Amino acid sequence: MNPLDCIFCKIAAGEIPSDRVYEDEFVLAFRDIHPQAPVHALVVPKKHMKNLLECDDGTAVAVLNAVKAVAKSEGVSESGFRAVTNCGPDGAQSVEHLHFHVLGGAQLSGRMG
Ligand code: AMP
């Protein structure tokens, strides 16, 4: 995919509005437009990469640190949360720009698939 056509690249560039909850040099986090839990944020690298398979070591560290920061700032680090990334068609990835979902704020289902 051309990054110019990528919705999360456009959000990172400020071309599409988002409800931002975290930002640093490498990573942005914003609320999911269709939340599946009381807390549902998406943590995305600013650099375009399709999914986890294209993620370099530095980005992996930056994204996971941002997941922790979002869990704390959204108030779910003590109560618990889920961080998950969908990868490819069978993984139900619908946006082809790496993102971690951070879900919490209620008891989540134990089902993972
Ligand atoms: P996935 O299915 O894992 O690729 O997740 C993509 C997520 O992006 C879904 O939960 C969507 O609700 C969310 N999403 C799509 N467009 C936007 C947007 N413009 N702002 C916020 N979240 C979005």
Side-chain angles (χ1 to χ4, degrees):
M1 170 194 279
N2 184 338
L4 292 174
D5 298 325
C6 171
I7 189 166
F8 287 176
C9 284
K10 289 180 178 173
I11 286 174
E15 295 167 10
I16 291 178
S18 66
D19 188 358
R20 296 183 181 213
V21 295
Y22 175 88
E23 184 169 11
D24 65 28
E25 184 180 354
F26 303 107
V27 180
L28 178 69
F30 50 90
R31 296 190 200 286
D32 196 292
I33 202 166
H34 295 124
Q36 296 186 39
V39 171
H40 188 175
L42 301 173
V43 177
V44 311
K46 290 182 176 177
K47 179 179 155 191
H48 184 82
M49 53 196 75
K50 184 174 176 182
N51 57 38
L52 189 60
L53 295 172
E54 294 187 355
C55 186
D56 58 274
D57 291 0
T59 301
V61 169
V63 168
L64 288 179
N65 280 332
V67 166
K68 292 194 285 184
V70 168
K72 286 178 188 159
S73 66
E74 292 296 297
V76 296
S77 60
E78 296 293 327
S79 53
F81 64 96
R82 178 171 295 151
V84 64
T85 187
N86 296 330
C87 191
D90 279 2
Q93 182 180 8
S94 64
V95 176
E96 291 192 338
H97 180 130
L98 175 64
H99 53 282
F100 274 76
H101 299 257
V102 178
L103 301 137
Q107 178 64 58
L108 301 177
S109 164
R111 280 186 56 82
M112 293 292 287

